[in-house]
Amino acid sequence: MLRALINRSPDLKRLRDEGYKLEPRNGFLLVHRIPYLNSSLEIKEGTLVTDLDLAGDKTVKPKNHVIYFIGDQPCNKDGMPISGIQHNNATRKLVSTITVNRSFSNKPNGGYSDYYDKITRYSDIISAPAISIDPSRTAKVHEVVEVTEEESVFKYIDSNSTRAEIVTISEKLVGQKIGIIGLGGTGSYVLDQVAKTPVLEIHLIDGDHFLQHNAFRAPGAASIEKLRSQPYKTDYYFDIYSKMHRGIKSHPVFIDTLNISMLDELDFVFICIDTGEIKKTIFDYLLGRKIAFIDSGLEVSVAENSLLGTVRTTLVTDQKNDHIPKRVSFASREDEDYKSNIQIADLNALNALMAVFEWKKHLHFYQNLEGEYTTIYSTNMNEIFNEDHKS
């Protein structure tokens, strides 16, 4: 992926061909061995670091004119800082493998046309005093950086996290093995969100086929040809989301007592089914193995020719599970008092988003001052209720 990025981006390729030492890493571009003068008038070498704006596997015009630097303060020949590019002198961790010491700002009219323009401009400014003392020093060292394929669950670089500057926060999700039981309306939208995070694996578990009614409460748009083939839901979503995420696993089966051990290696499970008896078995099994999970619930009924909806998400952990009886029904849909099964795509999506928010709060991706374990949204009251706080 990394060699392809350079080869398919004319600006990066030009930098490499001219001898700049490039290293794409975690959505950033590092340019090593930039000579500069420190305050003692010693010639040192530093590294320029810029986030990358990408279109697939090639660069586009940089939106950010600021650049980071790893090294001491670059100075003029009088030992004073190069003031024209001063921006911020705070040491900062961009990702776990990249810590920068300062940033610079130099914005031309109209911004930088490409990354060649941006890198060479900053390199020239920072290096000029050092080169004036020793003309043999240059950033064009023609030194190759040996890189292997980036260890990433994504098939292309997550430039969104780098642009939003939340890579270190996103790393809290790295390595997680996630299970989604039930790929109906809610479960499919859970997948749509989780597939855009750097979790290690996403196990899709559902024995149903993807049929025409499913298409009207699922993310995206299924073709009529796909509907005619009646694929398993897990295979249908695998084909879509494995284009982006390497860790999608398809299990076209219903959970039962014979195969429930497939949950053993998971770190977190989203339960998006309404069948009662097996849900109770899943709850007990996960609790016995101290695997945290979220149960999603959706109730829609007809009242005066309008719909009333209630959306619920309930987080369960080994530290907090005494709230299960008052929040989760283990009755079957066939039971007389639990027979409504109206599904609406927007409520399914909301249910999934609430579940993903709760999961991310559980992992401290989002700050969670309230500390609730159950969240309930009511359509007719348009209110969100936070319940079941850990005592």
Side-chain angles (χ1 to χ4, degrees):
M1 180 194 300
L2 302 183
R3 289 188 180 90
L5 174 63
I6 293 175
N7 290 334
R8 294 172 184 173
S9 303
D11 49 353
L12 300 189
K13 186 176 184 298
R14 186 178 177 186
L15 286 168
R16 183 195 63 188
D17 293 347
E18 290 189 6
Y20 289 91
K21 186 176 180 179
L22 307 185
E23 181 192 358
R25 188 197 303 173
N26 295 108
F28 293 89
L29 176 69
L30 285 72
V31 186
H32 300 285
R33 301 201 58 185
I34 306 297
Y36 68 96
L37 280 184
N38 66 11
S39 58
S40 300
L41 302 185
E42 301 169 313
I43 298 180
K44 301 290 186 179
E45 290 183 345
T47 299
L48 291 169
V49 182
T50 179
D51 53 340
L52 287 171
D53 288 301
L54 303 171
D57 55 2
K58 63 181 181 180
T59 58
V60 294
K61 180 178 178 178
K63 291 184 171 60
N64 186 3
H65 69 278
V66 174
I67 203 163
Y68 301 103
F69 189 69
I70 301 172
D72 297 330
Q73 174 63 56
C75 295
N76 291 305
K77 288 194 294 183
D78 58 3
M80 298 301 293
I82 303 175
S83 59
I85 59 173
Q86 290 286 86
H87 182 254
N88 191 308
N89 289 325
T91 295
R92 177 183 177 188
K93 180 178 289 188
L94 300 181
V95 295
S96 59
T97 60
I98 304 175
T99 299
V100 297
N101 303 114
R102 62 200 76 253
S103 59
F104 303 129
S105 175
N106 180 264
K107 185 177 183 180
N109 292 332
Y112 291 102
S113 59
D114 57 22
Y115 285 96
Y116 178 87
D117 186 20
K118 182 176 183 178
I119 295 300
T120 55
R121 179 59 177 159
Y122 279 108
S123 177
D124 289 346
I125 294 172
I126 294 168
S127 298
I131 294 173
S132 68
I133 292 176
D134 183 354
S136 69
R137 301 303 292 264
T138 176
K140 300 177 182 180
V141 294
H142 292 277
E143 187 175 308
V144 177
V145 175
E146 289 294 332
V147 293
T148 58
E149 283 297 309
E150 186 176 43
E151 291 297 323
S152 174
V153 296
F154 296 114
K155 292 191 175 179
Y156 41 86
I157 293 172
D158 176 15
S159 57
N160 179 66
S161 292
T162 56
R163 287 184 63 186
E165 300 185 346
I166 59 168
V167 175
T168 54
I169 298 175
S170 293
E171 287 179 341
K172 295 178 180 181
L173 312 180
V174 169
Q176 288 269 306
K177 294 183 180 181
I178 304 299
I180 304 175
I181 302 176
L183 271 295
T186 299
S188 59
Y189 280 102
V190 169
L191 169 61
D192 188 65
Q193 295 299 309
V194 177
K196 298 174 176 70
T197 71
V199 297
L200 182 62
E201 295 176 359
I202 308 171
H203 292 259
L204 313 181
I205 305 169
D206 194 317
D208 271 334
H209 293 269
F210 188 86
L211 303 177
Q212 190 159 326
H213 68 280
N214 300 121
F216 288 90
R217 59 174 194 254
S223 69
I224 193 168
E225 291 79 16
K226 182 64 72 173
L227 292 174
R228 285 170 179 159
S229 70
Q230 299 185 28
Y232 283 106
K233 287 180 181 177
T234 59
D235 291 342
Y236 171 76
Y237 289 113
F238 172 85
D239 288 343
I240 295 172
Y241 290 95
S242 62
K243 294 180 173 67
M244 179 182 196
H245 200 291
R246 301 179 191 276
I248 310 296
K249 311 293 182 182
S250 173
H251 304 283
V253 297
F254 294 112
I255 288 284
D256 57 30
T257 55
L258 297 179
N259 62 20
I260 198 168
S261 61
M262 71 169 64
L263 306 180
D264 287 355
E265 301 304 316
L266 300 180
D267 298 297
F268 195 93
V269 176
F270 291 91
I271 301 175
C272 305
I273 59 174
D274 51 37
T275 302
E277 184 176 345
I278 192 59
K279 179 183 281 193
K280 179 67 165 59
T281 301
I282 295 169
F283 273 46
D284 292 342
Y285 192 88
L286 294 175
L287 283 171
R289 282 150 184 79
K290 297 184 178 181
I291 299 172
F293 60 93
I294 284 177
D295 180 69
S296 298
L298 174 62
E299 283 297 314
V300 184
S301 58
V302 179
E304 299 178 355
N305 203 33
S306 295
L307 296 178
L308 298 179
T310 301
V311 177
R312 172 191 56 81
T313 59
T314 298
L315 171 66
V316 179
T317 70
D318 62 314
Q319 291 87 22
K320 172 69 176 176
N321 50 68
D322 59 349
H323 57 308
I324 292 175
K326 64 180 177 179
R327 299 301 175 193
V328 182
S329 172
F330 296 114
S332 298
R333 284 291 182 187
E334 289 75 22
D335 292 352
E336 185 67 25
D337 60 346
Y338 192 63
K339 60 185 179 182
S340 173
N341 192 25
I342 301 171
Q343 298 284 306
I344 304 296
D346 46 30
L347 291 180
N348 283 134
L350 177 60
N351 203 181
L353 289 174
M354 288 170 56
V356 172
F357 283 146
E358 195 65 47
W359 166 61
K360 288 185 173 181
K361 287 193 289 184
H362 172 66
L363 295 179
H364 306 292
F365 180 95
Y366 290 119
Q367 189 178 60
N368 185 12
L369 299 179
E370 187 73 14
E372 77 289 343
Y373 276 68
T374 295
T375 302
I376 301 170
Y377 171 73
S378 171
T379 59
N380 61 338
M381 299 178 67
N382 196 34
E383 290 184 343
I384 292 179
F385 303 92
N386 295 322
E387 306 287 349
D388 303 324
H389 301 82
K390 187 176 180 180
S391 57

